[in-house]
Amino acid sequence: MSMEHKQRQIEATLRLAPVVPVVVIDDVKAAVPMARALVAGGIPAIEVTLRTAAALEAIRAIAAEVEGAIVGVGTVLSAKDLHAAEQAGARFAVSPGVSPHLLAAADDSNLPLLPGAATASEVMALLERGYRFQKFFPAVPAGGAKLLSAWASPLPQVHFCPTGGISLISAPEFLMLPNVLCVGGSWLTPADKLKNADWEGIEQLAREASALCG
């Protein structure tokens, strides 16, 4: 698959809703009902991070059983992570930053990558490789909406999904920027709601997120 095709796929995914939930899941049994709650609330693109032993099985279950879900993988650090996620049925991959080995693996993979960048130099280096869509991480500690706004004029070709420290309250500040397509956030699937199987609560959080605008 060409880089241009993968970029179009990433763009389509990022435009599905104002927020991509960043999910840390410990129990595979929670994956399907959680994803159904998010989709019911208007949030179809779901990033399951590779921070737990349950992550790949959760991705596999969501991909197989949840109609309307576009499940992706987060915290991708290596070629091994990328391959395992693709085998599990992930539709997109997200990395906190990049390395030469990861970018080489992404070139050879059909799984579209949303690479992380935190400086103008990193954004430019990724743009040279064809990445017009990038993750700005960690968004708030790295400079927040003010930094992204400053990049909009000199780097208009690049659009971002800022992630890291963003909440329901602060999300509109990012979403109003011309170079932001959506934000990533962990507040849609808090650990207590996952542990207590509060799927109605997660659906409500998703509804609030899907109603966001800049």
Side-chain angles (χ1 to χ4, degrees):
M1 187 185 299
S2 70
M3 170 61 84
E4 182 56 33
H5 189 185
K6 287 186 279 191
Q7 287 294 284
R8 287 198 299 267
Q9 286 192 334
I10 283 287
E11 180 180 12
T13 299
L14 298 182
R15 290 189 182 278
L16 287 172
V19 183
V20 175
V22 179
V23 181
V24 179
I25 193 160
D26 293 298
D27 185 355
V28 173
K29 292 192 286 290
V32 167
M34 173 210 67
R36 286 177 175 155
L38 290 170
V39 172
I43 302 291
I46 304 166
E47 176 190 335
V48 177
T49 65
L50 293 179
R51 301 179 195 176
T52 69
L56 287 172
E57 283 303 313
I59 291 167
R60 188 171 286 110
I62 294 168
E65 300 180 42
V66 184
E67 185 176 355
I70 308 296
V71 63
V73 58
T75 322
V76 172
L77 305 179
S78 66
K80 181 180 177 182
D81 291 343
L82 201 65
H83 179 72
E86 187 172 7
Q87 293 298 109
R91 303 273 291 276
F92 64 97
V94 185
S95 61
V98 292
S99 69
H101 285 127
L102 179 59
L103 290 176
D107 287 343
D108 292 334
S109 173
N110 284 326
L111 193 61
L113 175 67
L114 181 70
T119 69
S121 294
E122 291 170 352
V123 172
M124 290 172 61
L126 286 168
L127 180 60
E128 284 185 358
R129 296 189 66 126
Y131 288 96
R132 303 191 313 278
F133 304 97
Q134 301 177 23
K135 172 182 177 176
F136 175 47
F137 179 82
V140 172
K146 288 185 177 180
L147 182 58
L148 278 178
S149 179
W151 285 348
S153 292
L155 295 164
Q157 313 95 316
V158 186
H159 288 78
F160 297 92
C161 173
T163 305
I166 299 173
S167 67
L168 179 69
I169 294 172
S170 63
E173 181 183 9
F174 289 88
L175 292 169
M176 70 183 291
L177 298 176
N179 56 348
V180 170
L181 296 185
C182 64
V183 301
S186 59
W187 81 85
L188 282 76
T189 55
D192 61 331
K193 292 192 184 300
L194 289 173
K195 183 177 180 180
N196 296 323
D198 184 4
W199 313 128
E200 288 186 5
I202 287 176
E203 182 178 339
Q204 180 57 37
L205 291 173
R207 289 189 186 282
E208 293 171 356
S210 66
L212 283 171
C213 59

